[in-house]
Amino acid sequence: MTWLITGGAGYIGAHVARAMTGAGESVVALDDLSAAVPERLPADVPLVEGSTLDGDRLKRVFAEYGVTGVVHLAARKQVGESVAEPTRYYRENVGGLATLLDAVAAAGIRRLLFSSSAAVYGNPDVDLITEDTPCAPVNPYGETKLAGEWLVRAAGQAYGISTVCLRYFNVAGAATPELADTGVFNIVPMVFDRLTRDEAPRIFGDDYPTPDGTCVRDYIHVADLAEAHLAAARRLSESGASGDLTLNIGRGEGVSVRELITVIGEVTGDRREPLVEARRPGDAPRAVASAELAAKELGWRARRDVHEMVTSAWQGWQRHHGA
């Protein structure tokens, strides 16, 4: 098989490409280069510049490289930006997916893995979020991921495409420093950024109904996430694989914001006390995955802990930001 990874030169995409090629899979990457670092990709992975909104481009890539399966990661993913630019998010995340699925169907490709998000759940009041927890996204980004899942399943049924949707929880860390996330949008790099500027970390609300009053989240190492993609791709490659599958990808363990900042202090040596500010609108007190279905269906479990995530992310931060 040859797998096309859309968004393949991004933070998660490059990890997936390395995991798949390291396991002997043939891979080609498509990326519009808006958030890409091409040097992240293994030297033997072709990189094609292009957008999933360009159906003709997709068809040419499928034909040129003999693509037999697609891992679709390309999407805009910033919650605040999605609130400010909802039409852009629907156009690129949902419209791009629709164009991709049309090209997949026309090419006779029968395997597709879709990058979804825990944002589809919104803010459920449950101890562990299972795949059966009702979906109620609270921002346009989450809405586009849920709409994407609907579209993937509908296209799978209509065109005979076997599909897997992976709902990521909070991704952190790096397999190697050069693969680290270069953006400052998620909590770990945001804390690194403040420490590098000699500022204290911030906690938004410490009066939630949690053990230490701060929000609790499920963090997963990006290398574990990449291995989940490999396991899902292998599942799709199995003879007779059919239908659709939707899985949470997390560790099944909650870590509070204050606990995470404590780990960051241990790793960086900067243990200054965080500033507590007002709650942010829409933050759920707790969002932790049940990861049992992924273990059952894929034989996959996350292996790396939060300390490993923070340590690897800090090494990457120092490499890219000169700290």
Side-chain angles (χ1 to χ4, degrees), residues 34 42 45 60 78 83 97 116 126-127 139 143 148 153 170 172 179 183 214 225 237 301 305-306:
S34 61
V45 172
R60 290 195 298 271
Q78 302 306 323
V83 174
L97 174 59
S116 189
V126 295
D127 186 50
N139 53 64
E143 292 167 3
R153 294 187 196 107
N170 298 267
L179 294 185
T214 67
L225 177 64
S237 300
R301 283 191 185 274
D305 63 18
V306 172

Side-chain angles (χ1 to χ4, degrees), residues 115-124 129 133-139 141-143 145-146 149 166-171 217-218 247-250 287-289:
S115 164
S116 189
S117 168
V120 301
Y121 294 115
N123 298 331
I129 298 172
T133 299
C135 293
V138 296
N139 53 64
Y141 166 68
E143 292 167 3
K145 285 300 183 181
L146 183 56
E149 288 189 11
L166 299 183
R167 293 172 174 170
Y168 311 168
F169 278 66
N170 298 267
V171 184
R217 296 290 182 266
D218 191 330
L247 301 170
N248 288 338
I249 303 297
V288 179

Side-chain angles (χ1 to χ4, degrees), residues 289-313:
S290 167
E292 294 308 308
L293 190 59
K296 175 183 175 183
E297 295 288 346
L298 302 181
W300 169 90
R301 283 191 185 274
R303 299 185 289 115
R304 299 161 180 89
D305 63 18
V306 172
H307 197 277
E308 290 177 85
M309 293 179 217
V310 173
T311 299
S312 63

Side-chain angles (χ1 to χ4, degrees), residues 14 26 36 42 68 77 119 131 152 159 166 201 215-216 220 242-243 283 285 310:
S26 176
T68 50
K77 61 177 185 176
E131 290 79 0
V152 163
Y159 307 133
L166 299 183
C215 294
V216 172
I220 180 166
S242 61
D283 276 348
V310 173

